[in-house]
Amino acid sequence: VKRSWELASEVGVEIDESGNSVIDHFNFDSKDEGLHTLITTSPENLVKSEHIVGQGSGACLYQGTGLATDSANPLVINVLTASSSAYSHNPQEMIKDYPHAVGK
């Protein structure tokens, strides 16, 4: 039985480690609990497709781990991208290495 991260990897998506979250110290929601992991995104960060995100989509909230996608894979669609100030890491640990996933 394949795990979901193994299947995702086969189709051009890499899921960050368990316990990691997208962190953005500049674009977090006011209801965030101090870790800056409840991220507000602007409409420009959503895919331009009414079939996927609807018409007149505004900002949305995201809380979860980071994903890295293979831009050369024509079957991968980035529905939501993070701003350039976002990265994926465990919010309870100090950063020692370059984060697995970073924003635009």
Side-chain angles (χ1 to χ4, degrees):
V1 175
K2 289 198 179 228
R3 294 187 176 115
S4 58
W5 60 267
E6 290 173 319
L7 178 63
S9 178
E10 288 184 14
V11 296
V13 177
E14 293 184 33
I15 302 171
D16 205 357
E17 297 176 22
S18 179
N20 287 3
S21 295
V22 174
I23 301 168
D24 192 330
H25 298 295
F26 298 99
N27 299 294
F28 58 92
D29 189 70
S30 61
K31 294 181 179 138
D32 183 86
E33 297 177 354
L35 297 175
H36 302 168
T37 57
L38 183 58
I39 309 301
T40 59
T41 63
S42 70
E44 292 81 35
N45 292 28
L46 290 169
V47 66
K48 309 296 184 256
S49 173
E50 290 183 23
H51 297 291
I52 296 174
V53 296
Q55 185 176 20
S57 298
C60 68
L61 292 176
Y62 179 81
Q63 188 169 40
T65 194
L67 305 173
T69 58
D70 180 2
S71 60
N73 186 337
L75 302 176
V76 173
I77 298 172
N78 291 325
V79 176
L80 176 65
T81 56
S83 69
S84 60
S85 57
Y87 59 95
S88 186
H89 196 271
N90 186 324
Q92 304 295 335
E93 297 177 0
M94 295 289 294
I95 297 176
K96 297 177 183 166
D97 296 316
Y98 194 78
H100 172 76
V102 294
K104 289 182 182 181

